[in-house]
Amino acid sequence: MQKLQLQGILYDDKSSFLKGPAQAPPLVREAYKSDAFNFFAENGLEIRPEIIKDLGDLEVADYFDIAHFTDTHLNSRLPLITLGGDHSITYPLLQAFHRRYGPLEILHIDAHADLYDTFEGDRYSHACPFARIMESGLASRLVQVGIRTLSSHQREQASRFGVEILEMKDYRPEMLPKFQGPLYLSLDIDALDPVFAPGISHYEPGGFSSRDAIEIIQNIQAPLVGADIVEYNPTRDVNGMTAVVCAKFLKEIAGKMLENSPGDF
Ligand code: MN
Ligand code: MN
């Protein structure tokens, strides 16, 4: 019986510095299915391919096609994991989730706040999705963790939108808030220190270990209805290591989704 859904978004047009994340979804799937690993999440649940409804990958012609593609998949009410793609995809993803669930709580793990009003002339840049999400009222609460690149403009944006930022320099696990749910998790893989995930476009030292980020996910108490794993850039990877990191997070997020069943949301 299928209990989860998975989709990929082959898109990096909104990447400001390097292209590459459009190639990521098939490589994460391949790492997840590799004979080198079993399918168990650390909570003991087995995330076998048979329990995942794989919706395939979207070749994006128009940015907002991402929302329409996602809309059709949310009718089934199964929790949905999306493989990116650059982080710009999270805005149209949340448009679709909002139509299905109303305003969601969002936990955003990233080196960057992605709160620019506009970046290099583009309001839909991968540096902007959380500004679009907040000004459109798609989130009831936005909590950001791992942030270590705040500009003055982004600090102003955060206070304007009421974003709760746990900066990396201050971070302690016990500072993580409790969510009510339904919750959406957006994981930019550059939240990790580049030592743990070299396949990214923007190296920002001083980040989370893989274990730190796994613990954040394992500590989620609320029903988790959606998640994305974004910004994996295979052109920068070393021995496919970051693909394996993404596959590990895919299993941990899926395990958490099954553990905290969304119930009647
Ligand atoms: Mn990001
Ligand atoms: Mn980032």
Side-chain angles (χ1 to χ4, degrees):
M1 189 183 138
Q2 292 172 324
K3 298 175 177 172
L4 299 165
Q5 317 183 77
L6 179 70
Q7 65 180 13
I9 307 293
L10 309 174
Y11 190 69
D12 56 17
D13 287 7
K14 302 295 185 187
S15 296
S16 56
F17 181 58
L18 296 171
K19 303 300 179 198
Q23 302 168 35
L27 296 171
V28 176
R29 277 196 188 74
E30 191 181 306
Y32 156 69
K33 292 181 180 171
S34 164
D35 290 339
F37 317 107
N38 67 33
F39 293 114
F40 282 87
E42 293 184 7
N43 65 2
L45 297 174
E46 192 176 21
I47 314 300
R48 297 189 63 78
E50 300 83 75
I51 69 163
I52 300 179
K53 184 176 179 184
D54 195 334
L55 306 158
D57 293 332
L58 177 70
E59 300 258 12
V60 181
D62 177 85
Y63 178 61
F64 289 101
D65 288 348
I66 297 165
H68 305 309
F69 182 71
T70 306
D71 271 333
T72 58
H73 300 152
L74 290 177
N75 292 328
S76 75
R77 295 177 170 243
L78 295 175
L80 172 63
I81 301 174
T82 301
L83 302 174
D86 71 40
H87 217 158
S88 71
I89 70 170
T90 301
Y91 173 48
L93 288 174
L94 261 295
Q95 288 183 315
F97 272 86
H98 182 267
R99 284 193 277 269
R100 173 67 187 79
Y101 294 99
L104 290 170
E105 294 179 312
I106 301 175
L107 175 59
H108 169 206
I109 309 175
D110 200 330
H112 313 94
D114 296 347
L115 281 168
Y116 281 94
D117 180 56
T118 175
F119 196 78
E120 296 176 346
D122 188 354
R123 288 172 55 77
Y124 302 112
S125 161
H126 72 158
C128 304
F130 291 92
R132 299 290 84 75
I133 286 166
M134 295 312 282
E135 72 190 10
S136 309
L138 304 182
S140 59
R141 183 178 191 189
L142 173 59
V143 175
Q144 301 185 320
V145 295
I147 313 300
R148 51 193 186 275
T149 56
L150 273 182
S151 61
S152 310
H153 167 67
Q154 290 193 101
R155 277 187 204 282
E156 286 163 18
Q157 290 281 87
S159 83
R160 176 179 157 213
F161 294 127
V163 181
E164 298 161 63
I165 303 184
L166 294 180
E167 289 184 56
M168 194 75 221
K169 68 183 175 62
D170 304 320
Y171 176 77
R172 299 286 178 278
E174 54 273 19
M175 296 165 74
L176 285 167
K178 295 274 179 273
F179 295 97
Q180 305 297 313
L183 179 68
Y184 186 93
L185 170 69
S186 188
L187 174 61
D188 182 327
I189 211 71
D190 71 26
L192 300 189
D193 193 280
V195 162
F196 295 91
I200 53 167
S201 300
H202 303 267
Y203 293 153
E204 193 61 46
F208 288 127
S209 68
S210 302
R211 178 51 49 189
D212 294 332
I214 288 167
E215 279 178 4
I216 292 171
I217 293 164
Q218 290 178 344
N219 282 331
I220 292 172
Q221 307 289 329
L224 186 58
V225 296
D228 58 57
I229 303 170
V230 296
E231 294 286 342
Y232 166 40
N233 185 340
T235 69
R236 304 260 277 180
D237 207 0
V238 178
N239 295 331
M241 226 167 81
T242 310
V244 174
V245 171
C246 291
K248 172 79 175 176
F249 282 105
L250 173 62
K251 285 187 284 190
E252 288 303 307
I253 291 168
K256 178 53 69 175
M257 283 173 160
L258 296 179
E259 185 184 325
N260 301 3
S261 168
D264 290 331
F265 285 111

